Amino acid sequence: MSETIGFIGLGNLGLPVATNLQDAGYGLRVYNRTASKAKPLVTKGAQQVTQPADAVTTGGIVVTLLWDGAALESVISDSGFLENLGPNGIHIAMGTVLPETAKKLVAMHEQHGSTYVEAPIFGRPEAAVTQKLWIPYTGSQQAKERIQPILKAMGGQGLFDFGEEVGAATIVKLVGNFLIVSAGYSMREALSMAEQNGVDPQAVVNMLTQTLFPAPIYQNYGKMIAEKAEPFGDSEIPLKDVDLLKKTAQQVESPTPLSNFLHDLLSNDLK
Amino acid sequence: MSETIGFIGLGNLGLPVATNLQDAGYGLRVYNRTASKAKPLVTKGAQQVTQPADAVTTGGIVVTLLWDGAALESVISDSGFLENLGPNGIHIAMGTVLPETAKKLVAMHEQHGSTYVEAPIFGRPEAAVTQKLWIPYTGSQQAKERIQPILKAMGGQGLFDFGEEVGAATIVKLVGNFLIVSAGYSMREALSMAEQNGVDPQAVVNMLTQTLFPAPIYQNYGKMIAEKAEPFGDSEIPLKDVDLLKKTAQQVESPTPLSNFLHDLLSNDLK
């Protein structure tokens, strides 16, 4: 049996990712705020703990997949988390947080002799189940080599190394999610126009995804829009990530007119 | 030798398209406002005429590839154009015009016993040279069957039939160009943010076009942006087509918040 990994955050994406690890033979020590969500993992042998720090072992690996920077900082500040992890432990942070938050956390881990690696995930929960996730990751070379098989076992069909400077992988994730939001809203607007002019939106999607846009994003969202589903439903993730992109851009005074505009459209849609 | 085709409009796209026809064995009767542009075709045997109506023969085929609806209406109103074409002639209109303009022109052709087919082109001039154009087309079934080999000979690697109701192919073209503009501006904004945060924009493009966006648009514009070129240079085509999309949407009261916003960004960039 492979090593036992700490796993904190069993949400829509966390649960299938943790399940993949379990199915690949890893032992799991799991923590989730709503404890009942751990049940499918516990049934198959995972150990459930009652506070985040108890998921951590010295020199071991702990994964967090949390909603935002505040949730991540709260978990790390749980008494014993950093003390238990170091020395030589690795924290794989998979939620999307501000690059400046990530940099602060890198320093806190270093103080305890452990390593913070960021590895945000591209992929919906269904893609986790089918092991079709894409994962950009950043961190120290030694830590990355150690976690590569774990990221693959999580369902990562493709891993993309963005160097050692933590923050880079998060920026890639923010760019990708912004491009998804932009493509989704653009399709919704243009396909509505087509349909109201009597042109079948699915026929338009079929042509464009065979030619200019042969990309899963255009195929999937195009189909959803043609079938009158909202591309992002009532998910708050797009708004959260566009907000993070804006804040990340503001720190370097990079202008974001489109992000601002899409942020407003997303906010209105969630009201 | 195949039949002789009238060809009006030898611009950046028109010239390579006409050249493809000539190379495929078609005879050409060409008209262009700036007559000198026809020279390469004339050298290889094309007949040059001095007014649009002279490019037209009764029962024959005439192609127009003009800047906008005003230019197209001006050519058609040239004394003798419609009279020469009918009966049984076909006009293949390949420039992008308002669907309502196209519908008006359909009726004018019918009055003279000829047929108006719309066949707007997706593809840059380089794609015409390499015969990699995508062409949606709309018109009467009989006319479409007759012109299919001609559209292929023009460099159409893929033809997409959008029925008999003229206007539909133009709407597909407007949707496609709007999605291109949206993707281009989104990439420019997001990649600038990445670069100013110290992340190599080409590395971001490489990951995203291997995963979420494996589409030529993202590859080509992403590379241009990473190399500091403006995605649309000083071309007025994106602004023109977004403007046509807005007008087409207004006629059916379909809201276009993103199109309006991109229209403003494009206008500012051209100033």
Side-chain angles (χ1 to χ4, degrees):
Chain A
M1 191 168 176
S2 303
E3 68 180 303
T4 294
I5 293 172
F7 202 106
I8 297 172
L10 302 170
N12 291 337
L13 193 55
L15 185 58
V17 166
T19 303
N20 286 342
L21 280 178
Q22 194 172 45
D23 292 349
Y26 287 95
L28 289 182
R29 207 174 299 102
V30 298
Y31 172 82
N32 195 57
R33 205 173 43 183
T34 307
S36 59
K37 291 213 181 154
K39 200 170 172 193
L41 300 166
V42 172
T43 306
K44 293 199 281 176
Q47 179 194 346
Q48 184 162 17
V49 298
T50 54
Q51 65 176 66
D54 290 341
V56 177
T57 50
T58 303
I61 288 172
V62 63
V63 176
T64 55
L65 216 169
L66 299 162
W67 174 250
D68 60 9
L72 181 59
E73 294 200 64
S74 156
V75 156
I76 288 172
S77 66
D78 184 39
S79 175
F81 185 100
L82 287 171
E83 292 76 7
N84 290 359
L85 187 59
N88 298 326
I90 298 176
H91 175 182
I92 310 176
M94 308 194 84
T96 315
V97 302
L98 270 182
E100 68 167 355
T101 304
K103 288 184 170 115
K104 188 175 76 180
L105 298 180
V106 166
M108 286 169 66
H109 284 69
E110 279 173 358
Q111 281 165 17
H112 291 86
S114 62
T115 307
Y116 178 98
V117 178
E118 61 174 358
I121 295 176
F122 280 112
R124 299 161 69 102
E126 310 87 86
V129 172
T130 55
Q131 314 229 5
K132 299 278 187 199
L133 302 172
W134 308 107
I135 308 178
Y137 64 130
T138 318
S140 84
Q141 195 57 36
Q142 203 179 353
K144 282 187 295 193
E145 282 167 20
R146 186 168 156 204
I147 68 167
Q148 273 167 13
I150 296 169
L151 296 179
K152 279 191 191 139
M154 285 176 177
Q157 68 172 318
L159 311 181
F160 293 82
D161 188 337
F162 276 88
E164 302 208 81
E165 189 75 29
V166 167
T170 295
I171 281 170
V172 177
K173 164 79 174 167
L174 295 176
V175 170
N177 271 13
F178 168 66
L179 293 178
I180 291 171
V181 169
S182 167
Y185 269 83
S186 299
M187 272 195 285
R188 189 177 69 168
E189 180 166 317
L191 293 175
S192 297
M193 183 283 292
E195 184 164 25
Q196 291 191 50
N197 274 289
V199 179
D200 173 18
Q202 188 61 57
V204 179
V205 171
N206 289 350
M207 172 175 177
L208 294 178
T209 56
Q210 282 175 66
T211 54
L212 304 167
F213 296 101
I217 295 296
Y218 284 84
Q219 284 149 352
N220 299 341
Y221 286 112
K223 185 166 183 285
M224 286 172 69
I225 292 166
E227 291 169 353
K228 303 274 183 297
E230 285 298 320
F232 307 113
D234 56 1
S235 169
E236 292 183 16
I237 294 172
L239 181 61
K240 181 189 69 158
D241 282 0
V242 172
D243 189 53
L244 287 176
L245 183 137
K246 281 175 57 182
K247 286 180 177 147
T248 307
Q250 277 160 12
Q251 282 164 7
V252 290
E253 292 180 18
S254 191
T256 54
L258 255 177
S259 311
N260 298 345
F261 192 73
L262 286 168
H263 188 273
D264 292 348
L265 290 180
L266 283 161
S267 301
N268 280 329
D269 279 359
L270 284 177
K271 269 177 196 158
Chain B
M1 192 169 173
S2 304
E3 70 181 301
T4 294
I5 293 172
F7 203 107
I8 298 172
L10 302 169
N12 290 338
L13 194 54
L15 185 57
V17 166
T19 303
N20 286 342
L21 281 177
Q22 194 172 46
D23 292 347
Y26 288 94
L28 290 181
R29 210 175 297 104
V30 298
Y31 172 81
N32 195 59
R33 207 172 44 184
T34 308
S36 58
K37 291 213 179 156
K39 201 170 174 192
L41 299 166
V42 172
T43 307
K44 293 198 282 175
Q47 179 192 347
Q48 183 162 20
V49 298
T50 54
Q51 64 176 67
D54 291 342
V56 176
T57 51
T58 303
I61 286 170
V62 63
V63 176
T64 56
L65 216 169
L66 299 161
W67 173 250
D68 60 10
L72 180 59
E73 293 199 64
S74 157
V75 156
I76 288 172
S77 66
D78 185 39
S79 175
F81 185 100
L82 287 170
E83 294 76 5
N84 288 1
L85 187 59
N88 299 324
I90 298 175
H91 174 183
I92 309 175
M94 308 194 84
T96 314
V97 302
L98 270 182
E100 69 167 356
T101 304
K103 289 185 169 112
K104 188 176 78 180
L105 299 179
V106 166
M108 288 170 64
H109 284 70
E110 279 174 359
Q111 282 166 14
H112 291 85
S114 62
T115 305
Y116 178 97
V117 177
E118 63 176 356
I121 295 176
F122 280 111
R124 300 161 71 101
E126 308 88 84
V129 173
T130 55
Q131 312 228 8
K132 299 278 186 197
L133 302 173
W134 308 107
I135 308 180
Y137 64 129
T138 318
S140 84
Q141 195 57 35
Q142 205 179 352
K144 281 187 296 193
E145 282 167 20
R146 186 168 156 205
I147 68 167
Q148 273 166 13
I150 295 169
L151 296 179
K152 280 192 190 138
M154 286 175 176
Q157 67 171 321
L159 310 182
F160 293 81
D161 187 338
F162 277 88
E164 301 207 85
E165 189 74 31
V166 167
T170 295
I171 282 171
V172 177
K173 164 81 174 164
L174 295 177
V175 170
N177 271 14
F178 168 67
L179 293 179
I180 292 171
V181 169
S182 168
Y185 270 83
S186 299
M187 273 194 286
R188 189 178 67 169
E189 179 166 317
L191 293 175
S192 297
M193 183 281 293
E195 184 164 25
Q196 291 191 49
N197 274 289
V199 180
D200 173 18
Q202 187 61 57
V204 179
V205 171
N206 288 349
M207 171 176 178
L208 294 178
T209 56
Q210 281 176 67
T211 54
L212 304 167
F213 297 101
I217 296 295
Y218 283 84
Q219 284 149 353
N220 298 341
Y221 287 111
K223 185 166 183 287
M224 286 172 70
I225 292 166
E227 290 169 354
K228 303 275 181 298
E230 284 299 317
F232 307 113
D234 56 0
S235 170
E236 293 183 17
I237 294 173
L239 181 61
K240 183 189 68 156
D241 283 0
V242 172
D243 190 53
L244 287 176
L245 183 138
K246 280 175 58 181
K247 286 179 177 148
T248 306
Q250 277 159 12
Q251 282 163 7
V252 289
E253 293 180 17
S254 190
T256 54
L258 254 178
S259 311
N260 297 346
F261 192 73
L262 287 168
H263 188 273
D264 291 348
L265 291 180
L266 283 160
S267 301
N268 279 330
D269 279 358
L270 285 175
K271 268 176 198 159

